[in-house]
Every structure is written in structure tokens, then in C-alpha cells.
Amino acid sequence: MPPDLDARAASAASARAGKAPRRRWLARTLAVTFGLLPAVVAAELLARILPAGSAGGAETAFDRGHLMHPRRGFFLLDGEEGYRPAPGHPAFAHHGALKNEYPLARTGGVPRVLCIGDSVTYRAFIVNGLAARAPHVEWWNAGVEGWNTRQQAAYLERICDGIQPDFVVVFLHLNDFEITPVRFVDDEGRFIEFRPSHPRELARFWFVRSALYRRWVGWTERPAVEQDLAAEVFANLARMRAHSAAHNARFAVVMLPPFAAPGELPQLYAEISAARTRNALAWLMSAGIPHFELASAVAGAAATGLPVGETPGDVLHPSPAAGDACAESLIQTGLLELLPAPKPR
């Protein structure tokens, strides 16, 4: 056989020999893939059927309803706050607080209170109850849903000088002692899970379509240490008090309880809530910060037969009746007595 034919034959044989392992690798890969597919489908179905808490893990996945808050256009992505109300947000005015009937320019002799908090403050059942009982006071609401105390402190520093309050009241929620991730699409189209110290990018396609992926997101949350979170909360409260003092404003904290009738909370949740409340009240006392606690107001509202959760099973947000009872309690226990004389303008 001529040398060139020998070379071509050898090359062809080598090519066939090289293709054989690739075919075997491809066949094995397909076999493994199709072998795993039923298991993945079964796991997906199980993830859709089982309650989130029974799937295991220290953290549970959020459902898909938590997907798109904050909505693009209503919020801006911004530094330490992570997100804040955009100038065009329909609920917020240019000064940073919720829209209200008060002029930004101060009126002589009219005290101004700036309320800071999360969704409880934003939904305004307590703040509106205060405004109804003390119409001679301006009640400015700067609550933002989903925020924790770190974001509130950063926002207070942003808007306090423009609003010039006489009194800053922080509504401290028990879930401020937890990490509550907020997920949204950023300006570059990325699906971001925001936590002030640990943001991460997620796969939006799979988050929308796969319960198994949503559970994986919950399982892989970085675990939080209760003592560390409490220390951060207290540092943020101290930061807000210092900023208020620097702007000649008084400062107080309202400790929000679970919005449930006595005995209705699961035992573990009740124990955790009680421990957080004791810890927070002890710190506020030691720090010399005026504070108010509303558990008795909620229990009193429940004793009359009124619903105290905004919706059935919701222990995080007050019903209008519970919010009104909380406002009455704050008035009766001396919140207005902390109002300083309005600043001269």
C-alpha cells in the first residue's frame, strides 16, 4: 500500500478510535440525565405539595408572591438602603415620607413627628390613629415595607434634615431581629436577593417556575445568629438616636408585639417573641431611650372579640381595630408628653 494511503488509513482509524470514547461519554451522560429526570420531577412535585417548614433546613423558602418587591420604577437601588422609594413613587412625596396634607415649610407652634418603621408603619393604622387623636400635631410617616433598622437609619439620615422633625418615633418590629430577604430585578435585569450585608443574584426563570429551586434558595440562606442580629438592631437604634439629637429632635421607640390574641401563637413563636421583647426592652432601658410596649393594648383589643391581625393568621400587621387600640395606648401612656416645644422657624 502506498505511504499516503497508509497515512490516511491510520488517520481514519485514529479518528474512529477517538469518536468511540466520545460516543460512550455522550451515551453515559444521556443515561444519567434521563435516569435523574424522574427523581428531579418527583422532588419538584414533593416540593410543591409539602408545606415549606416540613422540607427541612434552618431557613424556609419564600413563595413566589414575594418575587417582585420592590417593583422597578417605584423604588431605586441605592447603597446601604438597598432600595428606597423613587421620586415618582405614587405613595411617597419628594421629601421622602408618605404623601400628606402638611406643607414642608414649618408652621410656627405646630409640632412635627416623624414616624420610621417597616410595613406596619407604612400601612399607617397606628399612625392614623395617633393623627386622629392629636390633630394639632403633624404626623409624618416614613415607613417602608420590608425595611429593617439598618435601612431605616440610613433613610433617616437622608431625609431628617429636610423634614426637620421635633420628634422621631421608631416602630421596632420583632422581625427586625431576623433577616428578611427582599427580591427584585435591578437596572441591569438581574434578579437580586437583597440583604444589607449579603446580596446575591438568583435565577429568576427558575425562581418563578420551580418550587424546588425556591426551597434551595431558602436552604442556602446564610444562617443568622440571634445575638448578632440583636446587636445590629441596637447599634442602628443608637445611630438613629444620635442623628435625631444632632438635629435637635427627641427620640423614642415603640416596641410592636405579635398581633394575635393571648394563647393563639405557636409555643415556639411565642417564646421567641417574648425573649426578643425582653431583650429589646432591657437594652432600651439601659440606653435611657424612652420606649413604649403595646402587648397589653393588643390583648385588650382581642378581649373585645375584635380581630387583631390585618388578615386571618397574620401576626405581623395590626388590623385597623388593633392599630387604633395601639394609638390609644400610646396617647394614654404619655407619647405626647415627650413632644418638645416646636423649634422656632
Side-chain angles (χ1 to χ4, degrees):
M1 182 178 294
D4 58 335
L5 292 179
D6 285 341
R8 286 198 295 269
S11 177
S14 177
R16 287 194 299 272
K19 288 179 180 178
R22 286 197 294 271
R23 290 195 190 99
R24 286 195 296 270
W25 177 85
L26 180 59
R28 289 170 182 169
T29 301
L30 290 174
V32 170
T33 300
F34 284 107
L36 288 176
L37 187 59
V40 173
V41 171
E44 173 69 23
L45 293 174
L46 189 63
R48 292 170 183 262
I49 295 171
L50 289 178
S54 69
E59 300 280 345
T60 56
F62 286 82
D63 61 28
R64 60 189 296 173
H66 201 64
L67 171 62
M68 289 297 290
H69 177 73
R71 287 170 286 178
R72 191 189 312 194
F74 282 5
F75 293 86
L76 296 176
L77 306 185
D78 185 69
E80 189 178 9
E81 296 161 42
Y83 65 94
R84 60 182 174 86
H89 194 295
F92 290 82
H94 67 281
H95 45 61
L98 291 168
K99 291 178 179 178
N100 58 53
E101 61 185 16
Y102 311 123
L104 183 59
R106 293 297 307 265
T107 302
V110 179
R112 177 172 290 182
V113 179
L114 178 61
C115 300
I116 295 280
D118 61 5
S119 54
V120 173
T121 309
Y122 173 82
R123 299 182 191 189
F125 292 135
I126 299 176
V127 177
N128 288 346
L130 291 168
R133 288 167 171 78
H136 63 287
V137 176
E138 293 182 359
W139 298 93
W140 290 61
N141 187 337
V144 179
E145 291 195 270
W147 268 11
N148 61 26
T149 54
R150 178 173 173 174
Q151 293 161 296
Q152 292 157 19
Y155 201 52
L156 177 64
E157 293 166 359
R158 182 186 293 270
I159 68 173
C160 185
D161 190 48
I163 295 176
Q164 303 178 62
D166 302 298
F167 190 16
V168 174
V169 178
V170 174
F171 288 83
L172 182 62
H173 204 294
L174 289 172
N175 67 4
D176 286 325
F177 296 87
E178 302 170 2
I179 294 178
T180 304
V182 177
R183 303 182 178 105
F184 53 85
V185 177
D186 70 7
D187 294 336
E188 298 178 12
R190 297 174 301 177
F191 182 36
I192 302 297
E193 178 183 82
F194 175 78
R195 298 191 294 174
S197 54
H198 305 294
R200 64 173 174 168
E201 185 175 356
L202 302 176
R204 183 183 178 194
F205 178 90
W206 291 112
F207 191 89
V208 172
R209 292 165 177 81
S210 172
L212 187 61
Y213 180 78
R214 292 194 294 273
R215 287 177 182 271
W216 175 85
V217 169
W219 287 328
T220 56
E221 295 286 357
R222 182 173 296 190
V225 178
E226 181 88 10
Q227 293 85 344
D228 293 343
L229 291 174
E232 182 175 355
V233 168
F234 300 150
N236 293 328
L237 292 176
R239 175 180 167 186
M240 285 188 271
R241 175 176 64 171
H243 190 82
S244 300
H247 287 73
N248 300 313
R250 295 262 179 94
F251 182 80
V253 173
V254 175
M255 188 77 210
L256 298 171
F259 294 98
E264 285 190 354
L265 291 176
Q267 182 177 355
L268 180 58
Y269 189 96
E271 291 173 356
I272 292 173
S273 299
R276 289 175 178 172
T277 300
R278 287 194 303 271
N279 192 19
L281 294 177
W283 182 86
L284 291 165
M285 182 74 71
S286 67
I289 294 177
H291 53 278
F292 300 83
E293 208 271 323
L294 296 174
S296 59
V298 173
T304 66
L306 295 172
V308 292
E310 187 173 2
T311 57
D314 181 4
V315 301
L316 299 179
H317 305 97
S319 66
D324 198 60
C326 289
E328 178 65 23
S329 174
L330 290 171
I331 297 295
Q332 294 298 323
T333 53
L335 181 68
L336 293 182
E337 296 172 14
L338 296 177
L339 275 173
K343 303 181 183 76
R345 304 296 170 192

